[in-house]
Amino acid sequence: MEKTKKILLGKISLILLGFIVAILAFKYLPKLIELTTSLDTFRDYIISTGRFGALLVIFFQIVQTVIAPIPGEVIQLAGGYVYGIPLGLLYSIIGMMIGSVMIFYFTKFIGASYVEKLIDKEKYKWIFDIVGSKKFTITLFVFFIIPGLPKDFLIYLAGLTPIKPIKFFVILLVGRLPSIAAPVVIGANIHYENYTSIIVISIIAVVLFILGMVYKDKIIEKLSGAEAEEI
């Protein structure tokens, strides 16, 4: 009985949080997108809000994770520029994790049938092969950590699987950490005009992204095809 109450309370809290974020996001979405199209504009806006800047960075990251029309790199670059590497990384991670928790539990408790209707099962058969595989957790980590691979659907679909929430969030955190840390570090180095580090990190990030895009289909085919045979 106590467990049922906790689940019900969790659902209610999730609905309320999602409702608040949705209202704020859709009300201010054009402004949010406008701000994040320019690093300088967004950075100046964050600085102008004073002590509320950290909360705004977290909020923008939540919105970017859930709705995704906002370039996450701009948020993370500005976070690193304004707050440095430790705090910039922390705020970006908090926002990303809160947004991911909302997506995961929305799918698990509220929107399972809705999410399934959104996906063309023929076109995205590889996704269902991956989700249904015995090595889903390993595949999930590979998709999160390699730049250029599609990730958004997997966050939504993870809530439809038996994967334990803690395990999923640990995989998500570890897998997404490098891609979030890179723009934060670049942002901090822009602030200190350390252009050598910026160039090196940017080149590495671009090369990894290109490799991920080039070999995306082969990776997806190998993971989904090989693992689908094990189901």
Side-chain angles (χ1 to χ4, degrees):
M1 189 67 179
E2 187 68 26
K3 185 177 180 180
T4 304
K5 287 183 178 179
K6 288 182 178 179
I7 293 175
L8 180 60
L9 182 62
K11 289 182 179 181
I12 293 172
S13 301
L14 178 65
I15 292 171
L16 289 175
L17 180 59
F19 187 67
I20 292 169
V21 171
I23 290 176
L24 292 173
F26 283 107
K27 183 176 180 180
Y28 298 106
L29 191 57
K31 180 66 174 177
L32 297 181
I33 295 174
E34 181 184 346
L35 285 171
T36 53
T37 54
S38 167
L39 173 59
D40 291 332
T41 302
F42 184 64
R43 178 198 64 205
D44 293 342
Y45 177 71
I46 292 298
I47 293 173
S48 71
T49 60
R51 58 186 177 182
F52 295 106
L55 293 177
L56 280 174
V57 170
I58 293 172
F59 173 71
F60 273 67
Q61 189 65 62
I62 293 172
V63 174
Q64 190 276 327
T65 302
V66 175
I67 304 177
I70 299 172
E73 291 79 11
V74 172
I75 299 169
Q76 294 144 18
L77 278 165
Y81 184 93
V82 178
Y83 298 106
I85 295 174
L87 289 179
L89 184 59
L90 177 63
Y91 298 149
S92 295
I93 288 174
I94 290 174
M96 183 274 292
M97 292 302 293
I98 292 175
S100 299
V101 167
M102 291 172 62
I103 292 172
F104 183 85
Y105 283 106
F106 172 81
T107 303
K108 183 172 287 293
F109 294 140
I110 303 167
S113 59
Y114 176 72
V115 171
E116 288 178 333
K117 288 177 182 177
L118 285 177
I119 300 175
D120 185 336
K121 291 189 178 182
E122 291 298 321
K123 183 178 180 181
Y124 296 105
K125 182 179 180 298
W126 62 269
I127 293 180
F128 291 93
D129 289 339
I130 289 171
V131 169
S133 71
K134 294 179 180 179
K135 297 179 180 178
F136 175 57
T137 53
I138 297 173
T139 305
L140 198 62
F141 176 75
V142 170
F143 268 71
F144 283 143
I145 202 165
I146 297 179
L149 294 184
K151 301 170 175 59
D152 297 337
F153 277 143
L154 291 179
I155 297 178
Y156 279 91
L157 288 177
L160 304 178
T161 71
I163 189 171
K164 293 182 179 180
I166 294 299
K167 177 186 280 188
F168 170 72
F169 294 129
V170 169
I171 292 171
L172 177 68
L173 176 60
V174 176
R176 292 296 304 276
L177 188 59
S179 62
I180 292 177
V184 171
V185 173
I186 290 173
N189 280 285
I190 290 174
H191 178 76
Y192 293 109
E193 300 182 351
N194 189 352
Y195 298 114
T196 302
S197 296
I198 295 171
I199 293 171
V200 171
I201 296 170
S202 298
I203 290 173
I204 293 172
V206 169
V207 169
L208 290 175
F209 179 80
I210 292 173
L211 288 174
M213 290 297 293
V214 170
Y215 293 102
K216 176 181 68 177
D217 293 337
K218 290 184 179 179
I219 295 172
I220 289 173
E221 183 181 351
K222 184 173 180 60
L223 291 174
S224 59
E227 293 176 10
E229 296 173 1
E230 299 178 12
I231 297 174

mmCIF file of all heavy atoms in Angstrom, residues 127-161:
data_model
loop_
_atom_site.group_PDB
_atom_site.id
_atom_site.type_symbol
_atom_site.label_atom_id
_atom_site.label_comp_id
_atom_site.label_asym_id
_atom_site.label_seq_id
_atom_site.Cartn_x
_atom_site.Cartn_y
_atom_site.Cartn_z
ATOM 1 N N ILE A 127 15.366 0.196 -34.138
ATOM 2 C CA ILE A 127 15.223 0.662 -32.757
ATOM 3 C C ILE A 127 14.574 -0.413 -31.896
ATOM 4 O O ILE A 127 15.024 -0.706 -30.784
ATOM 5 C CB ILE A 127 14.390 1.960 -32.696
ATOM 6 C CG1 ILE A 127 15.156 3.104 -33.352
ATOM 7 C CG2 ILE A 127 14.050 2.322 -31.252
ATOM 8 C CD1 ILE A 127 14.421 4.425 -33.331
ATOM 9 N N PHE A 128 13.522 -1.036 -32.422
ATOM 10 C CA PHE A 128 12.826 -2.065 -31.661
ATOM 11 C C PHE A 128 13.671 -3.323 -31.525
ATOM 12 O O PHE A 128 13.594 -4.034 -30.520
ATOM 13 C CB PHE A 128 11.481 -2.387 -32.335
ATOM 14 C CG PHE A 128 10.485 -1.267 -32.236
ATOM 15 C CD1 PHE A 128 10.390 -0.319 -33.245
ATOM 16 C CD2 PHE A 128 9.680 -1.141 -31.115
ATOM 17 C CE1 PHE A 128 9.487 0.727 -33.143
ATOM 18 C CE2 PHE A 128 8.776 -0.091 -31.016
ATOM 19 C CZ PHE A 128 8.681 0.837 -32.018
ATOM 20 N N ASP A 129 14.518 -3.592 -32.532
ATOM 21 C CA ASP A 129 15.450 -4.716 -32.418
ATOM 22 C C ASP A 129 16.440 -4.472 -31.276
ATOM 23 O O ASP A 129 16.755 -5.382 -30.500
ATOM 24 C CB ASP A 129 16.223 -4.916 -33.726
ATOM 25 C CG ASP A 129 15.353 -5.472 -34.840
ATOM 26 O OD1 ASP A 129 14.310 -6.064 -34.518
ATOM 27 O OD2 ASP A 129 15.713 -5.294 -36.012
ATOM 28 N N ILE A 130 16.927 -3.229 -31.197
ATOM 29 C CA ILE A 130 17.879 -2.880 -30.149
ATOM 30 C C ILE A 130 17.220 -2.920 -28.774
ATOM 31 O O ILE A 130 17.754 -3.477 -27.817
ATOM 32 C CB ILE A 130 18.475 -1.481 -30.414
ATOM 33 C CG1 ILE A 130 19.429 -1.536 -31.612
ATOM 34 C CG2 ILE A 130 19.210 -0.950 -29.187
ATOM 35 C CD1 ILE A 130 19.899 -0.190 -32.094
ATOM 36 N N VAL A 131 16.029 -2.337 -28.677
ATOM 37 C CA VAL A 131 15.319 -2.296 -27.394
ATOM 38 C C VAL A 131 14.998 -3.701 -26.909
ATOM 39 O O VAL A 131 15.046 -3.989 -25.712
ATOM 40 C CB VAL A 131 14.014 -1.475 -27.529
ATOM 41 C CG1 VAL A 131 13.131 -1.647 -26.305
ATOM 42 C CG2 VAL A 131 14.345 0.004 -27.719
ATOM 43 N N GLY A 132 14.699 -4.599 -27.849
ATOM 44 C CA GLY A 132 14.318 -5.955 -27.460
ATOM 45 C C GLY A 132 15.481 -6.908 -27.285
ATOM 46 O O GLY A 132 15.284 -8.081 -26.979
ATOM 47 N N SER A 133 16.696 -6.450 -27.472
ATOM 48 C CA SER A 133 17.854 -7.338 -27.406
ATOM 49 C C SER A 133 18.295 -7.599 -25.970
ATOM 50 O O SER A 133 17.985 -6.848 -25.057
ATOM 51 C CB SER A 133 19.021 -6.736 -28.188
ATOM 52 O OG SER A 133 19.539 -5.619 -27.491
ATOM 53 N N LYS A 134 19.055 -8.680 -25.823
ATOM 54 C CA LYS A 134 19.567 -9.042 -24.508
ATOM 55 C C LYS A 134 20.706 -8.133 -24.062
ATOM 56 O O LYS A 134 21.020 -8.052 -22.886
ATOM 57 C CB LYS A 134 20.058 -10.497 -24.523
ATOM 58 C CG LYS A 134 18.934 -11.515 -24.730
ATOM 59 C CD LYS A 134 19.478 -12.920 -24.749
ATOM 60 C CE LYS A 134 18.366 -13.931 -24.962
ATOM 61 N NZ LYS A 134 18.879 -15.330 -25.019
ATOM 62 N N LYS A 135 21.331 -7.455 -25.038
ATOM 63 C CA LYS A 135 22.458 -6.576 -24.731
ATOM 64 C C LYS A 135 22.043 -5.108 -24.842
ATOM 65 O O LYS A 135 22.837 -4.255 -25.229
ATOM 66 C CB LYS A 135 23.625 -6.870 -25.673
ATOM 67 C CG LYS A 135 24.183 -8.279 -25.519
ATOM 68 C CD LYS A 135 25.318 -8.512 -26.497
ATOM 69 C CE LYS A 135 25.874 -9.922 -26.357
ATOM 70 N NZ LYS A 135 26.949 -10.196 -27.328
ATOM 71 N N PHE A 136 20.807 -4.843 -24.489
ATOM 72 C CA PHE A 136 20.268 -3.491 -24.631
ATOM 73 C C PHE A 136 21.086 -2.466 -23.863
ATOM 74 O O PHE A 136 21.347 -1.369 -24.353
ATOM 75 C CB PHE A 136 18.809 -3.465 -24.156
ATOM 76 C CG PHE A 136 18.197 -2.085 -24.146
ATOM 77 C CD1 PHE A 136 18.156 -1.325 -25.295
ATOM 78 C CD2 PHE A 136 17.672 -1.556 -22.978
ATOM 79 C CE1 PHE A 136 17.593 -0.053 -25.302
ATOM 80 C CE2 PHE A 136 17.099 -0.294 -22.962
ATOM 81 C CZ PHE A 136 17.068 0.461 -24.134
ATOM 82 N N THR A 137 21.518 -2.800 -22.647
ATOM 83 C CA THR A 137 22.245 -1.826 -21.827
ATOM 84 C C THR A 137 23.597 -1.468 -22.451
ATOM 85 O O THR A 137 24.002 -0.305 -22.447
ATOM 86 C CB THR A 137 22.474 -2.366 -20.404
ATOM 87 O OG1 THR A 137 23.105 -3.653 -20.477
ATOM 88 C CG2 THR A 137 21.159 -2.524 -19.667
ATOM 89 N N ILE A 138 24.283 -2.470 -23.039
ATOM 90 C CA ILE A 138 25.564 -2.201 -23.692
ATOM 91 C C ILE A 138 25.350 -1.333 -24.928
ATOM 92 O O ILE A 138 26.070 -0.358 -25.171
ATOM 93 C CB ILE A 138 26.260 -3.520 -24.095
ATOM 94 C CG1 ILE A 138 26.585 -4.346 -22.842
ATOM 95 C CG2 ILE A 138 27.521 -3.254 -24.909
ATOM 96 C CD1 ILE A 138 27.124 -5.721 -23.127
ATOM 97 N N THR A 139 24.336 -1.687 -25.704
ATOM 98 C CA THR A 139 24.015 -0.928 -26.913
ATOM 99 C C THR A 139 23.634 0.501 -26.574
ATOM 100 O O THR A 139 24.023 1.455 -27.260
ATOM 101 C CB THR A 139 22.862 -1.605 -27.672
ATOM 102 O OG1 THR A 139 23.198 -2.967 -27.930
ATOM 103 C CG2 THR A 139 22.592 -0.903 -28.988
ATOM 104 N N LEU A 140 22.878 0.660 -25.506
ATOM 105 C CA LEU A 140 22.451 1.990 -25.060
ATOM 106 C C LEU A 140 23.662 2.859 -24.760
ATOM 107 O O LEU A 140 23.735 4.020 -25.171
ATOM 108 C CB LEU A 140 21.579 1.838 -23.811
ATOM 109 C CG LEU A 140 20.687 3.013 -23.414
ATOM 110 C CD1 LEU A 140 19.666 3.310 -24.503
ATOM 111 C CD2 LEU A 140 19.964 2.703 -22.106
ATOM 112 N N PHE A 141 24.622 2.285 -24.063
ATOM 113 C CA PHE A 141 25.838 3.027 -23.721
ATOM 114 C C PHE A 141 26.609 3.421 -24.983
ATOM 115 O O PHE A 141 27.086 4.551 -25.096
ATOM 116 C CB PHE A 141 26.731 2.178 -22.812
ATOM 117 C CG PHE A 141 28.046 2.829 -22.483
ATOM 118 C CD1 PHE A 141 28.109 3.872 -21.576
ATOM 119 C CD2 PHE A 141 29.217 2.415 -23.097
ATOM 120 C CE1 PHE A 141 29.320 4.492 -21.283
ATOM 121 C CE2 PHE A 141 30.430 3.018 -22.809
ATOM 122 C CZ PHE A 141 30.478 4.067 -21.899
ATOM 123 N N VAL A 142 26.721 2.499 -25.936
ATOM 124 C CA VAL A 142 27.434 2.780 -27.193
ATOM 125 C C VAL A 142 26.769 3.936 -27.929
ATOM 126 O O VAL A 142 27.443 4.852 -28.422
ATOM 127 C CB VAL A 142 27.463 1.524 -28.088
ATOM 128 C CG1 VAL A 142 27.988 1.870 -29.482
ATOM 129 C CG2 VAL A 142 28.327 0.442 -27.466
ATOM 130 N N PHE A 143 25.439 3.922 -27.986
ATOM 131 C CA PHE A 143 24.725 4.986 -28.695
ATOM 132 C C PHE A 143 24.886 6.332 -28.001
ATOM 133 O O PHE A 143 24.980 7.368 -28.660
ATOM 134 C CB PHE A 143 23.238 4.631 -28.805
ATOM 135 C CG PHE A 143 22.893 3.903 -30.069
ATOM 136 C CD1 PHE A 143 23.293 2.595 -30.259
ATOM 137 C CD2 PHE A 143 22.189 4.525 -31.078
ATOM 138 C CE1 PHE A 143 22.998 1.913 -31.420
ATOM 139 C CE2 PHE A 143 21.884 3.865 -32.256
ATOM 140 C CZ PHE A 143 22.289 2.547 -32.427
ATOM 141 N N PHE A 144 24.906 6.324 -26.675
ATOM 142 C CA PHE A 144 25.039 7.580 -25.946
ATOM 143 C C PHE A 144 26.440 8.172 -26.063
ATOM 144 O O PHE A 144 26.598 9.385 -26.115
ATOM 145 C CB PHE A 144 24.686 7.388 -24.470
ATOM 146 C CG PHE A 144 23.211 7.300 -24.210
ATOM 147 C CD1 PHE A 144 22.716 6.436 -23.241
ATOM 148 C CD2 PHE A 144 22.306 8.068 -24.922
ATOM 149 C CE1 PHE A 144 21.358 6.354 -22.991
ATOM 150 C CE2 PHE A 144 20.947 7.990 -24.682
ATOM 151 C CZ PHE A 144 20.463 7.128 -23.714
ATOM 152 N N ILE A 145 27.445 7.323 -26.109
ATOM 153 C CA ILE A 145 28.817 7.833 -26.028
ATOM 154 C C ILE A 145 29.409 8.179 -27.393
ATOM 155 O O ILE A 145 30.313 9.009 -27.483
ATOM 156 C CB ILE A 145 29.742 6.828 -25.292
ATOM 157 C CG1 ILE A 145 30.967 7.567 -24.739
ATOM 158 C CG2 ILE A 145 30.146 5.674 -26.189
ATOM 159 C CD1 ILE A 145 31.756 6.788 -23.720
ATOM 160 N N ILE A 146 28.906 7.563 -28.482
ATOM 161 C CA ILE A 146 29.460 7.843 -29.805
ATOM 162 C C ILE A 146 28.732 9.022 -30.445
ATOM 163 O O ILE A 146 27.521 8.968 -30.647
ATOM 164 C CB ILE A 146 29.356 6.606 -30.726
ATOM 165 C CG1 ILE A 146 30.193 5.450 -30.164
ATOM 166 C CG2 ILE A 146 29.814 6.953 -32.144
ATOM 167 C CD1 ILE A 146 30.132 4.195 -30.996
ATOM 168 N N PRO A 147 29.434 10.111 -30.769
ATOM 169 C CA PRO A 147 28.796 11.270 -31.405
ATOM 170 C C PRO A 147 28.238 10.895 -32.773
ATOM 171 O O PRO A 147 28.792 10.059 -33.474
ATOM 172 C CB PRO A 147 29.944 12.279 -31.546
ATOM 173 C CG PRO A 147 31.003 11.818 -30.603
ATOM 174 C CD PRO A 147 30.877 10.330 -30.541
ATOM 175 N N GLY A 148 27.118 11.525 -33.140
ATOM 176 C CA GLY A 148 26.550 11.318 -34.466
ATOM 177 C C GLY A 148 25.495 10.236 -34.539
ATOM 178 O O GLY A 148 24.777 10.138 -35.527
ATOM 179 N N LEU A 149 25.389 9.395 -33.489
ATOM 180 C CA LEU A 149 24.367 8.353 -33.491
ATOM 181 C C LEU A 149 23.059 8.912 -32.934
ATOM 182 O O LEU A 149 23.071 9.761 -32.042
ATOM 183 C CB LEU A 149 24.812 7.151 -32.643
ATOM 184 C CG LEU A 149 26.009 6.362 -33.146
ATOM 185 C CD1 LEU A 149 26.256 5.163 -32.253
ATOM 186 C CD2 LEU A 149 25.806 5.899 -34.591
ATOM 187 N N PRO A 150 21.904 8.430 -33.440
ATOM 188 C CA PRO A 150 20.603 8.922 -32.950
ATOM 189 C C PRO A 150 20.354 8.484 -31.513
ATOM 190 O O PRO A 150 20.494 7.314 -31.189
ATOM 191 C CB PRO A 150 19.598 8.266 -33.907
ATOM 192 C CG PRO A 150 20.304 7.072 -34.449
ATOM 193 C CD PRO A 150 21.760 7.414 -34.491
ATOM 194 N N LYS A 151 20.005 9.428 -30.645
ATOM 195 C CA LYS A 151 19.857 9.124 -29.225
ATOM 196 C C LYS A 151 18.446 9.406 -28.691
ATOM 197 O O LYS A 151 18.006 8.777 -27.736
ATOM 198 C CB LYS A 151 20.866 9.940 -28.403
ATOM 199 C CG LYS A 151 22.317 9.695 -28.785
ATOM 200 C CD LYS A 151 23.224 10.707 -28.120
ATOM 201 C CE LYS A 151 24.690 10.412 -28.378
ATOM 202 N NZ LYS A 151 25.068 10.384 -29.784
ATOM 203 N N ASP A 152 17.771 10.383 -29.282
ATOM 204 C CA ASP A 152 16.520 10.874 -28.715
ATOM 205 C C ASP A 152 15.473 9.784 -28.542
ATOM 206 O O ASP A 152 14.849 9.661 -27.489
ATOM 207 C CB ASP A 152 15.941 11.999 -29.587
ATOM 208 C CG ASP A 152 16.855 13.203 -29.637
ATOM 209 O OD1 ASP A 152 17.671 13.361 -28.704
ATOM 210 O OD2 ASP A 152 16.763 13.985 -30.598
ATOM 211 N N PHE A 153 15.276 8.970 -29.594
ATOM 212 C CA PHE A 153 14.272 7.925 -29.523
ATOM 213 C C PHE A 153 14.571 6.939 -28.396
ATOM 214 O O PHE A 153 13.669 6.430 -27.734
ATOM 215 C CB PHE A 153 14.185 7.152 -30.841
ATOM 216 C CG PHE A 153 13.325 7.821 -31.874
ATOM 217 C CD1 PHE A 153 13.672 7.787 -33.210
ATOM 218 C CD2 PHE A 153 12.162 8.484 -31.503
ATOM 219 C CE1 PHE A 153 12.881 8.415 -34.164
ATOM 220 C CE2 PHE A 153 11.365 9.106 -32.447
ATOM 221 C CZ PHE A 153 11.718 9.074 -33.789
ATOM 222 N N LEU A 154 15.861 6.642 -28.193
ATOM 223 C CA LEU A 154 16.228 5.642 -27.191
ATOM 224 C C LEU A 154 15.899 6.106 -25.779
ATOM 225 O O LEU A 154 15.572 5.290 -24.918
ATOM 226 C CB LEU A 154 17.714 5.299 -27.313
ATOM 227 C CG LEU A 154 18.107 4.542 -28.579
ATOM 228 C CD1 LEU A 154 19.602 4.273 -28.592
ATOM 229 C CD2 LEU A 154 17.341 3.230 -28.691
ATOM 230 N N ILE A 155 15.990 7.416 -25.514
ATOM 231 C CA ILE A 155 15.628 7.928 -24.192
ATOM 232 C C ILE A 155 14.141 7.727 -23.953
ATOM 233 O O ILE A 155 13.709 7.298 -22.882
ATOM 234 C CB ILE A 155 15.993 9.414 -24.058
ATOM 235 C CG1 ILE A 155 17.505 9.613 -24.180
ATOM 236 C CG2 ILE A 155 15.507 9.963 -22.711
ATOM 237 C CD1 ILE A 155 17.952 11.055 -24.102
ATOM 238 N N TYR A 156 13.331 8.016 -24.981
ATOM 239 C CA TYR A 156 11.888 7.823 -24.853
ATOM 240 C C TYR A 156 11.531 6.343 -24.736
ATOM 241 O O TYR A 156 10.703 5.950 -23.907
ATOM 242 C CB TYR A 156 11.166 8.427 -26.064
ATOM 243 C CG TYR A 156 10.974 9.922 -25.967
ATOM 244 C CD1 TYR A 156 11.918 10.799 -26.487
ATOM 245 C CD2 TYR A 156 9.859 10.458 -25.339
ATOM 246 C CE1 TYR A 156 11.757 12.176 -26.391
ATOM 247 C CE2 TYR A 156 9.681 11.827 -25.239
ATOM 248 C CZ TYR A 156 10.636 12.690 -25.769
ATOM 249 O OH TYR A 156 10.474 14.045 -25.660
ATOM 250 N N LEU A 157 12.183 5.510 -25.548
ATOM 251 C CA LEU A 157 11.838 4.093 -25.573
ATOM 252 C C LEU A 157 12.360 3.322 -24.367
ATOM 253 O O LEU A 157 11.840 2.255 -24.046
ATOM 254 C CB LEU A 157 12.381 3.448 -26.850
ATOM 255 C CG LEU A 157 11.647 3.825 -28.141
ATOM 256 C CD1 LEU A 157 12.328 3.184 -29.334
ATOM 257 C CD2 LEU A 157 10.197 3.389 -28.084
ATOM 258 N N ALA A 158 13.386 3.859 -23.698
ATOM 259 C CA ALA A 158 13.932 3.161 -22.528
ATOM 260 C C ALA A 158 12.858 2.955 -21.464
ATOM 261 O O ALA A 158 12.871 1.951 -20.744
ATOM 262 C CB ALA A 158 15.105 3.937 -21.948
ATOM 263 N N GLY A 159 11.921 3.911 -21.371
ATOM 264 C CA GLY A 159 10.838 3.785 -20.398
ATOM 265 C C GLY A 159 9.883 2.649 -20.693
ATOM 266 O O GLY A 159 9.118 2.227 -19.819
ATOM 267 N N LEU A 160 9.911 2.121 -21.918
ATOM 268 C CA LEU A 160 9.040 1.005 -22.298
ATOM 269 C C LEU A 160 9.687 -0.341 -22.007
ATOM 270 O O LEU A 160 9.038 -1.373 -22.166
ATOM 271 C CB LEU A 160 8.711 1.080 -23.800
ATOM 272 C CG LEU A 160 8.080 2.384 -24.310
ATOM 273 C CD1 LEU A 160 7.856 2.305 -25.806
ATOM 274 C CD2 LEU A 160 6.777 2.667 -23.592
ATOM 275 N N THR A 161 10.944 -0.324 -21.616
ATOM 276 C CA THR A 161 11.680 -1.566 -21.384
ATOM 277 C C THR A 161 11.744 -1.886 -19.897
ATOM 278 O O THR A 161 11.456 -1.037 -19.050
ATOM 279 C CB THR A 161 13.124 -1.437 -21.916
ATOM 280 O OG1 THR A 161 13.859 -0.549 -21.056
ATOM 281 C CG2 THR A 161 13.137 -0.904 -23.331
#
